[in-house]
Amino acid sequence: MPDIPDHSAVVEAEGHLIDSQILTTIFDTVIERGAHFEVQRFEIGRTNDEFSRLRLKISAPVAATLQRLLEELLPLGCRAVKDVEQDALLRPADRDGTAPDDFYSTTNMRTEVRIDGRWVQVGRQRMDAVIAVDRSPGGAAATCRKLRELKAGQLVVCGLSGLRVVPQFRDRERSDFAFMSNEVSSERRVEASVGRIASLVRETKRRGEQVVFVAGPVVIHTGGTQYFSQLVRAGFVDAVLAGNALAVHDAEHALFGTSLGVDLEAGVPVQGGHRHHMRAINAINRAGGIRGAVEAGVVKSGVMVELVRANVEFVLAGSIRDDGPILDTITDMIEAQDRYTEVLASAGLVIVLSTMLHGIGVGNMLPAWVPVVCVDINPAVVTKLADRGSSQTIGLVTDVGLFLHQLAKALT
Amino acid sequence: MPDIPDHSAVVEAEGHLIDSQILTTIFDTVIERGAHFEVQRFEIGRTNDEFSRLRLKISAPVAATLQRLLEELLPLGCRAVKDVEQDALLRPADRDGTAPDDFYSTTNMRTEVRIDGRWVQVGRQRMDAVIAVDRSPGGAAATCRKLRELKAGQLVVCGLSGLRVVPQFRDRERSDFAFMSNEVSSERRVEASVGRIASLVRETKRRGEQVVFVAGPVVIHTGGTQYFSQLVRAGFVDAVLAGNALAVHDAEHALFGTSLGVDLEAGVPVQGGHRHHMRAINAINRAGGIRGAVEAGVVKSGVMVELVRANVEFVLAGSIRDDGPILDTITDMIEAQDRYTEVLASAGLVIVLSTMLHGIGVGNMLPAWVPVVCVDINPAVVTKLADRGSSQTIGLVTDVGLFLHQLAKALT
Amino acid sequence: MPDIPDHSAVVEAEGHLIDSQILTTIFDTVIERGAHFEVQRFEIGRTNDEFSRLRLKISAPVAATLQRLLEELLPLGCRAVKDVEQDALLRPADRDGTAPDDFYSTTNMRTEVRIDGRWVQVGRQRMDAVIAVDRSPGGAAATCRKLRELKAGQLVVCGLSGLRVVPQFRDRERSDFAFMSNEVSSERRVEASVGRIASLVRETKRRGEQVVFVAGPVVIHTGGTQYFSQLVRAGFVDAVLAGNALAVHDAEHALFGTSLGVDLEAGVPVQGGHRHHMRAINAINRAGGIRGAVEAGVVKSGVMVELVRANVEFVLAGSIRDDGPILDTITDMIEAQDRYTEVLASAGLVIVLSTMLHGIGVGNMLPAWVPVVCVDINPAVVTKLADRGSSQTIGLVTDVGLFLHQLAKALT
Amino acid sequence: MPDIPDHSAVVEAEGHLIDSQILTTIFDTVIERGAHFEVQRFEIGRTNDEFSRLRLKISAPVAATLQRLLEELLPLGCRAVKDVEQDALLRPADRDGTAPDDFYSTTNMRTEVRIDGRWVQVGRQRMDAVIAVDRSPGGAAATCRKLRELKAGQLVVCGLSGLRVVPQFRDRERSDFAFMSNEVSSERRVEASVGRIASLVRETKRRGEQVVFVAGPVVIHTGGTQYFSQLVRAGFVDAVLAGNALAVHDAEHALFGTSLGVDLEAGVPVQGGHRHHMRAINAINRAGGIRGAVEAGVVKSGVMVELVRANVEFVLAGSIRDDGPILDTITDMIEAQDRYTEVLASAGLVIVLSTMLHGIGVGNMLPAWVPVVCVDINPAVVTKLADRGSSQTIGLVTDVGLFLHQLAKALT
């Protein structure tokens, strides 16, 4: 189609473009959209440490296609040369909770915005947010906000001008490099994987960052209580994000020795034993909640007791399937998301134990540079978490109780 | 242990004790608890239609074991002879949201309470509730209430006296009998199963009861939109219980032709396309919610549009992983549970389409006599729903889009 | 249909009819076939130890339905009164490998045949076999034979006369009773289950019976080598049934430290490492097979080395997906089945480690009274094995490497 | 480590190095082995159609590491400059069935060998084979052979000299490009995928190549018989590779209306119905096998009948779990593999229907350029097939019966 006057733009990118398969994805994206590319310049990093540099001309038959393509290339680190020479387009939200139609929706990768000629790094980076800009005499600030947090009049970044995204590059030299390549198979040696996760935990603590656990009730069902408790006592658990069920089954186990009606010592189902969890809820709520129940001696052992004693923060989010719930459970989802987000602000490593619901929730809130370990006996859950744009997810398909046993052994 | 003075009680049960394996479970339960039984009388139903009658003496070495055993036998329809000769023990809730320690926690089976010498059927039967009793001049009423709904002073059934439970008996003569025996295997002919589900839908409508769908966003991802829309238009959908994601992905599909960034016609992933769902949320919320968006012509097609046009009730419950959420989503879980429960009050059949979270939530709210069909491509989900005391669950392991295609063909 | 002259028969059964849900299944079967039943007599076992006794009249509108029904009731222990008063019908095979059309196809349950007025127990009980009868002066012998083993003229049991089947009753008092009720869920405490399996192993050895392992290569991939080796050295492995892949990956691991191209110590994939298994095959075959390779010191460690040293029998069956195969692998399936069957003749317990193919093969060969433990991380495999008429199967969903670690710890 | 005298080599590669992520893998491999690289030259393809060219210097601290690395880089298309300047090293097999220790083990990608100064393409390309060389006056021929096919004295390619491998490049412009990127998720619109597979089938026929189906018995269980029969009659099935079970369950279905004891019309299990498959085996074997049974009118419908009538070749391979087997089943695995391989020699497209066992077997036999479609309701099976070096595998997670229904509709 040489005769058709094409719409074209020149984009540039730099970094470990080959290691992270970014270059492949850039080319794929252009072709999939029915556009063409011509490499104007490509300098390959000569060694493993050096960056590569790309300058690419993109042509599309229709202007809209080109525009959409540029939008898609941005998260891959491709900046249209003309766009980075301009400031970002800022427009006020037209009403509370609503952005202008062409608002820029964020990824979880490090992002910079050009405001008044200066590049400003966006704060609280997360995916599916808008970038709210506050101008002040000392300079402008840009922050990720949820749509619902917008107030009418708030300045919001729109379009693509004045935006730079830095994709998360894989670091090939890190000791855990190969491991990080989010394999999911269960036909691997679990013990080797646990060893690497233990190293990640130690490195995170050494850097002064927090290790946050996201835990489903399977932790209790699979006999993980004592091992998780060891981790808490040894100081490897900085915060726990969970739901109502974790606390309820934990208390049920402490009070009756069962979990959802299964006798955990004997491994046998207890006919009618599922009443126990209702009594556990009643007992905790009479005491005014978990802290009250621990202090009053109503519950004497278990994960929640250890968290209270070690003064570890926990946030319990409600769900449509909750029984009770206990008084500590936050039943409003907006409040629960806000509390989760606060806790995750200082997370350097997140370990998700058999809870797809909370795992996906947490994945949405995290920037791309915080690694997430996802442990589940169901490979589909691990794949699903790794799928949702959280390329930093490391999957491990195994029994959670045995995993905690091994992790506690490796760390304590 | 003939010398030890045993603690013993006599229980009676009647019904299709053999068909429903209730007799086996009764015997198992006694032995597992370390107790003994002696059949004092057993009259077997001579034909398929006749009831069987059992009178059993149970002995346990410890009084507590006996008591616990009687509690476990109650949901199997076994009534201790001495207990049914007494009124139920009614005690006031000591404080809001809290029941006396020995409150009776309900199953989802039909239950009767003896109050002032008369047997009263419990209303709004569901599992994991307390039985609240209101005495009035015209007679007493007994109703299932969640713990959190209790007010201080409310009379609550405690202990086991004056309680009768009627287990759900399988009806062997029903045309769908064999099918109902909650098989889960996918190596079956799906088409045969869909035919039976279509019959169940028709029978439910004929009885004047409602068919309630509980739907995950997979309905959209798998191309089910047009088939589900057909079902709505043909009047087979009386209500939809779902989450935020159903409405968001439906609108994304209507507005951009994608669902979670996948082009549904072409089946190919759209790089960066997951921004579309944020724009869909923004567009709906600017219009004041789904009804507004439909009326303003912002969204012109899709499942939600059909529901609005056909005036079908829908309830969207929030969750920790929601984006947005759209304004229609109920973010408080207590309110969402209450709304779900209201809708389910008139349900004669519930069909769960690929959503474990809402499926379990709904399962908790239903009495045992409302059949639930659970369709999911993941056998683990189907098993899990069938596991949770919802013996009325029929599982079908298949692609939801293809299932809806077949169901629409069978019904419209 | 009172006017239609019914075809009817009277059947009797006795045993723990309620415990094993046999009575329920009998009634279900009659109704599903469109027939009717009338209980003529039912004496319930008064206590857990006593048998129940049933006498049932069955009526069907068509003679063929009745006949088919009687055939289906036989494996449930129901004997038509008229049939047990007669000898079995013996007919000669018409040609090699082929039985008369109405041959009796066996179940895996204990079976007796009436020959010349005497009841003879069938030898080598297994499912899907014919019963071959040899008359000799000292009395008749009846044995399960595969169709292909029949020679023309061999007497074969046909029809239903003179046959008694004793269903496998659950023994409710056995310590492992509840556990045996083939639960499959992974949300259980694995450690408790391993403890029970260890007890089964010890009891089996104490009875002087053999513990046979059926092992897939996942034993090697998941790092189980050292733990399985411990079990071999401690004498808990009496025989191993496997395929070519177990031996190949074991040798690959011993020679190169990898298994299917994954470095087991480091847990990382080795690019191109899958050549290693071809070299392992070449090395073993040059030495004339496994024993040669062990004796020549070509392979110095691993599962196969331990088996050779401990003189434990192993049988490797070929398959369509084999590489090589190594010389020890039996490539003819008829010979392989025969060798498997021989080894299983003395099995008191069979443990299947992550191999659906060989697990199903073994399940087909075993009588119903030999318990089978099936360990796999994939619940579908466990369910499938339990489904195939092997009600004695105990499923455990967990990582095989961790399972072997725990089992070795519990036993050695 | 600048002071240590490194061992180094220069390699070259060319092709669509970026599209197929080959460049990334090359760099990864070097670093993972503890070696270093320096890009001496890299010319990027300026447009989508142009090749890229790479010249890389690799240094390793130890000679053995360098050698191993070169071996691993070969399948990625990297040729050591010094190696391609030499002829391949040919050595005679020392004994039947055994190659010299340093034999070259093939991948499934196009391979060339330099013999007497000329590059010769290797025939019958497949993975895990040796390259046998026959010198004749007219020139040398090189062919893939299984180890077991080697005769003592046969010349075999050893080491790495004189070898070139051409990796399979993705063709980004092909209409099915995005689809080919072996996605496995089931949350996609199955109908869109079936449309693409139908196109692949038509294109294959248009090119005059064969469409080979590899089919498990699930085809029968899921009600696929009539749809698969339509495909046979319409000429879209050129050959069928299967096992004993397909033929047995097909005949059982034709004779009794059941498959493994399930009534396919009604979808209900038939108590004791699994005897039917033994009778089917007996009936077929009495007639001397499938063709005999079809000709004699013993079996009148079903997949096998259609294959016989349409004169479509089928090969049934035995397995350890077979009942019978029927006379057509090849019980020796070496013969079965040979027959499979012959059939696959003319395959242009392979469709695997729910059989992991035969699917993996077939995957091992195919060159990399024959696309494989794998349909299974279990995502783990699809992933496993795609994992085994068969990058050309396209996975589809859905019910096989419904898939065949859709495919027949799209094609006939």
Side-chain angles (χ1 to χ4, degrees), chain A residues 306-324:
Chain A
E306 299 289 345
L307 295 178
V308 169
R309 285 183 188 154
N311 208 22
V312 171
E313 183 163 15
F314 57 87
V315 183
L316 306 180
S319 94
I320 189 73
R321 82 188 151 202
D322 284 349
D323 288 312

Side-chain angles (χ1 to χ4, degrees), chain C residues 25 29 32-33 68 71-72 75-76 94-95 97-107 126-129 146-148 218 258 260 269-272 274-279 281-283 285-288 317-325 331-334 336-337 340 356-358 360-361 364-365 378 380 384 388, chain D residues 25 29 32-33 68 71-72 75-76 94-95 97-107 126-129 146-148 218 258 260 269-272 274-279 281-283 285-288 317-325 331-334 336-337 340 356-358 360-361 364-365 378 380 384 388:
Chain C
T25 311
T29 306
E32 280 173 31
R33 290 286 150 261
R68 183 171 170 190
E71 196 174 358
E72 295 183 18
L76 298 167
D94 46 341
R95 38 187 292 184
T98 309
D101 278 343
D102 62 343
F103 76 95
Y104 175 76
S105 176
T106 62
T107 68
R126 53 166 296 161
M127 69 170 92
D128 297 333
K146 300 224 70 172
L147 274 173
R148 65 182 185 237
V218 174
T258 59
L260 252 199
V270 175
Q271 184 57 25
H274 72 106
R275 286 178 325 261
H276 289 157
H277 77 280
M278 294 310 297
R279 298 203 174 151
I281 292 168
N282 198 45
N285 282 357
R286 165 170 295 119
S319 95
I320 189 73
R321 84 187 147 199
D322 285 348
D323 288 310
T331 62
D332 188 77
M333 289 304 98
I334 291 178
Q337 287 189 344
Y340 265 46
M356 185 158 69
L357 176 65
H358 304 94
I360 291 176
N364 290 346
M365 297 168 187
N378 185 345
K384 193 146 191 172
R388 297 179 74 88
Chain D
T25 312
T29 306
E32 280 174 30
R33 288 289 148 260
R68 184 171 169 188
E71 197 174 359
E72 295 183 19
L76 297 168
D94 47 340
R95 39 186 294 183
T98 308
D101 278 343
D102 61 344
F103 75 95
Y104 175 75
S105 177
T106 63
T107 69
R126 56 166 293 163
M127 71 170 90
D128 296 335
K146 301 223 66 169
L147 273 174
R148 65 182 184 237
V218 174
T258 58
L260 252 199
V270 175
Q271 186 53 29
H274 71 105
R275 285 177 329 259
H276 289 157
H277 77 281
M278 294 310 298
R279 297 199 177 155
I281 292 168
N282 198 45
N285 282 356
R286 165 171 296 118
S319 94
I320 190 72
R321 83 190 147 198
D322 285 348
D323 288 310
T331 61
D332 187 77
M333 288 306 98
I334 289 178
Q337 288 189 344
Y340 265 45
M356 185 159 69
L357 177 64
H358 304 94
I360 291 176
N364 290 346
M365 297 169 188
N378 185 346
K384 192 144 189 173
R388 295 178 76 86

Side-chain angles (χ1 to χ4, degrees), chain D residues 198-244:
Chain D
S199 303
L200 274 179
V201 170
R202 281 211 190 83
E203 284 169 25
T204 306
K205 300 297 292 180
R206 203 174 301 134
R207 284 196 309 268
E209 294 173 353
Q210 299 211 326
V211 179
V212 177
F213 283 79
V214 185
V218 174
V219 168
I220 315 297
H221 303 162
T222 55
T225 302
Q226 72 175 104
Y227 310 115
F228 194 73
S229 297
Q230 283 174 28
L231 291 172
V232 172
R233 286 194 297 265
F236 289 109
V237 179
D238 292 305
V240 172
L241 304 179
N244 182 65

